[in-house]
Amino acid sequence: MGLLARVRKEWFIIGIVTVIMLAKIQPSIGAKGGPLRPEITITFVAVSAIFFNSGLSLKTEELTSAVLHVKLHLFVQSFTLVFFPLAMWLLIKVLALTSINTWLLSGLQTVGCMPPPVSSAVILTKAVGGNEAAAIFNSAFGSFLGIVVTPLLLLLFLGSSSSVSFSSIFSQLFMTVVVPLILGQVVRRFLKDWLERRKPPFGVISSVVLLMIIYTTFCDTFSNPSIDLDHLSLLLITLIIFSIQLSFMLLTFVLSTQKQSGFTSADTVAIMSLSLSSRKPSGFTSADT
């Protein structure tokens, strides 16, 4: 395979590395309050564009079928909001006996209590031919559950929680996830023949939007003052996160590919993406990485 062909095939990975480097060079451009205004363009516009794009590309019967796939929903939500937080709590109890910074461990538990990611899981599922409709439903449903469940989990495992406006978060999620998805479906009804004939690159469009989200996220990270943490703790946490992702990815793959599970290969892709994509407070903001 030639270099150009390799670049075309791996363009998304190359894009991730590129946007991270650009964010490192000049983080103020994409940081909150910067020229790109990510608090508006990413939190609202970019995420809305992803779900409008999904609504435009998916057949209505696919969405309907996904909503009725109760077994998959139970698997994803119980894994992300019950098993994962509990497993992280047990792991952190062990890690607390080491010299790893306690704030990093608290951050690890906080991330472990978050619901399925909103945009990244949908895009990753679509990129590898998974059950996109199921990913969309569980991303949205999990985010709405997270408004209530995540603060309760934080209170249970950390003894503290966050005060958020239920109505404002609910309306933000509704306007950036549900409304764009419905609008995409409505527009599809009028453009169905043209879309099936021309086959626009929906996956590429969503991936480009995700690169924008990654760029602004790293800009925000690099623009913050350095935190006084020892390098050993950071290195150990990085290795631990990698090990957790790899182990749980294997676990979800094994469980969802059992004959008695009843899941298809497309379902397995969606389950793995939803359970193990980069996590964030989905109940508190619409953008993620």
Side-chain angles (χ1 to χ4, degrees):
M1 182 181 291
L3 178 60
L4 184 58
R6 173 65 66 178
V7 170
R8 287 178 177 175
K9 183 178 180 180
E10 307 294 344
W11 71 271
F12 184 68
I13 301 299
I14 296 172
I16 291 177
V17 175
T18 302
V19 297
I20 292 175
M21 291 176 60
L22 291 174
K24 178 64 176 177
I25 294 172
Q26 189 58 263
S28 60
I29 295 177
K32 290 180 180 178
L36 292 183
R37 298 292 178 184
E39 60 271 24
I40 298 175
T41 57
I42 299 300
T43 302
F44 296 100
V45 180
V47 176
S48 297
I50 288 172
F51 283 90
F52 176 80
N53 185 54
S54 294
L56 198 60
S57 63
L58 281 172
K59 297 178 181 178
T60 304
E61 50 268 30
E62 291 177 332
L63 283 173
T64 303
S65 176
V67 172
L68 299 176
H69 202 339
V70 178
K71 189 174 183 179
L72 187 148
H73 309 328
L74 288 174
F75 185 98
V76 171
Q77 301 304 330
S78 60
F79 185 90
T80 56
L81 295 176
V82 179
F83 176 78
F84 199 93
L86 181 59
M88 292 300 296
W89 178 75
L90 292 173
L91 175 62
I92 289 170
K93 284 294 184 182
V94 176
L95 295 177
L97 301 175
T98 68
S99 60
I100 298 178
N101 187 284
T102 56
W103 286 106
L104 287 176
L105 295 180
S106 296
L108 199 60
Q109 181 67 74
T110 301
V111 171
C113 292
M114 297 304 164
V118 176
S119 55
S120 61
V122 175
I123 294 172
L124 293 175
T125 300
K126 184 181 184 67
V128 291
N131 190 338
E132 183 188 0
I136 290 173
F137 178 83
N138 279 278
S139 294
F141 183 59
S143 293
F144 285 115
L145 281 179
I147 299 175
V148 176
V149 177
T150 294
L152 292 176
L153 289 173
L154 293 175
L155 184 62
L156 175 64
F157 292 120
L158 295 177
S160 61
S161 186
S162 300
S163 177
V164 296
S165 171
F166 179 87
S167 58
S168 63
I169 299 302
F170 184 91
S171 60
Q172 179 182 332
L173 284 169
F174 186 81
M175 294 302 296
T176 56
V177 175
V178 180
V179 172
L181 183 65
I182 294 174
L183 286 176
Q185 284 285 284
V186 172
V187 174
R188 179 180 173 81
R189 290 177 64 89
F190 294 98
L191 300 178
K192 182 178 179 180
D193 293 337
W194 182 85
L195 291 172
E196 292 181 352
R197 185 172 62 254
R198 299 297 298 271
K199 300 186 183 302
F202 293 114
V204 174
I205 294 171
S206 294
S207 296
V208 170
V209 175
L210 182 57
L211 288 178
M212 293 173 56
I213 295 175
I214 294 173
Y215 171 70
T216 56
T217 299
F218 275 92
C219 281
D220 205 44
T221 300
F222 291 138
S223 65
N224 290 330
S226 298
I227 302 174
D228 186 19
L229 293 173
D230 62 282
H231 291 19
L232 179 60
S233 290
L234 289 173
L235 177 61
L236 288 175
I237 285 293
T238 301
L239 293 175
I240 289 168
I241 291 174
F242 177 78
S243 300
I244 291 172
Q245 292 282 72
L246 190 61
S247 300
F248 283 2
M249 182 179 294
L250 178 60
L251 177 61
T252 54
F253 176 79
V254 171
L255 292 176
S256 61
T257 53
Q258 296 294 314
K259 289 184 178 181
Q260 60 269 29
S261 71
F263 296 131
T264 65
S265 57
D267 292 338
T268 297
V269 171
I271 288 170
M272 294 176 68
S273 297
L274 288 160
S275 302
L276 299 169
S277 293
S278 301
R279 287 158 164 263
K280 51 73 189 159
S282 296
F284 309 114
T285 176
S286 294
D288 63 13
T289 57

